[in-house]
Structures are given as C-alpha cells and as structure tokens.
Amino acid sequence: MTRYGDSAVGWNHFSHRHNIKKCSIINAAVSDKVDRHNKKTKEMEYWGHALHEGKNVQFVVKVQYSRSTRDEQRSAPYGETIGVVTAYCKNQPKNRCPNWMNG
C-alpha cells in the first residue's frame, strides 16, 4: 500500500523529493522478493533496476510493515499497515531519479 502521506513519508514525499511519479516503479520493486528485512523495526526494502540507453539506475522502495512509523509520528487505521514510506534512486544527486524513469 502507498498512502498519500506528506512531505516526510508516502507518495507526496517521494514523488516530489525523489522524482518518482509512476506507480509502475513502485510495483516493479515490491512485486519481487524482499531484499532487506529488519524484523525488529518491521521495515523492509525492495530493490529494483531501471535501464535506459545504456544507463542503469538502482532504486529502493522502503516499506513499514506495521501500524505506525518507526518514530510513531504517523499511524494507519486499525488493522492496516503504513506501507510504502519512501522510494529513491541510489547513487544519484540528492537521491532523485532521472526524468526518463517517469516516461
């Protein structure tokens, strides 16, 4: 699940700060296996790669699989989880994904 969120978490966070504006980017990562799972904090990372004209960009989708965020500043309705907290491109300036990923 990806919530609208705000400037710190969710769609509003990563679509502005990290230039991920397509659901297909998130779906590509979370449809595969979990690449890193912290069972104590219930945080998971999914990793993906985007290729374009010989360029390879690794992106990360972080998911909070609990009812509240780690800092307990935000919570989901009873019986639901926070879901996608952020997504970004690794090794890119300011972790912003290139525009071609949104094409």
Side-chain angles (χ1 to χ4, degrees):
M1 167 170 288
T2 302
R3 299 181 184 280
Y4 286 114
D6 53 31
S7 63
V9 298
W11 182 265
N12 286 328
H13 167 71
F14 63 75
S15 68
H16 291 94
R17 183 170 182 152
H18 301 298
N19 196 34
I20 294 178
K21 301 182 186 297
K22 293 275 190 167
C23 293
S24 59
I25 297 169
I26 303 300
N27 295 340
V30 300
S31 66
D32 205 358
K33 67 175 179 57
V34 175
D35 293 287
R36 182 178 290 159
H37 186 185
N38 184 326
K39 293 180 181 180
K40 182 179 179 184
T41 63
K42 297 185 179 180
E43 293 175 317
M44 296 180 281
E45 286 186 12
Y46 296 86
W47 303 340
H49 288 273
L51 302 170
H52 178 73
E53 296 179 355
K55 296 176 185 169
N56 180 1
V57 174
Q58 182 181 7
F59 59 95
V60 177
V61 177
K62 289 190 175 191
V63 175
Q64 182 72 49
Y65 196 72
S66 61
R67 188 164 174 236
S68 63
T69 54
R70 188 170 43 160
D71 63 6
E72 298 184 0
Q73 296 296 309
R74 293 159 189 84
S75 62
Y78 183 77
E80 295 184 22
T81 61
I82 291 293
V84 177
V85 177
T86 191
Y88 59 91
C89 286
K90 291 183 77 166
N91 303 316
Q92 298 295 306
K94 298 183 181 180
N95 289 334
R96 284 182 63 83
C97 295
N99 287 331
W100 56 260
M101 285 181 63
N102 295 305

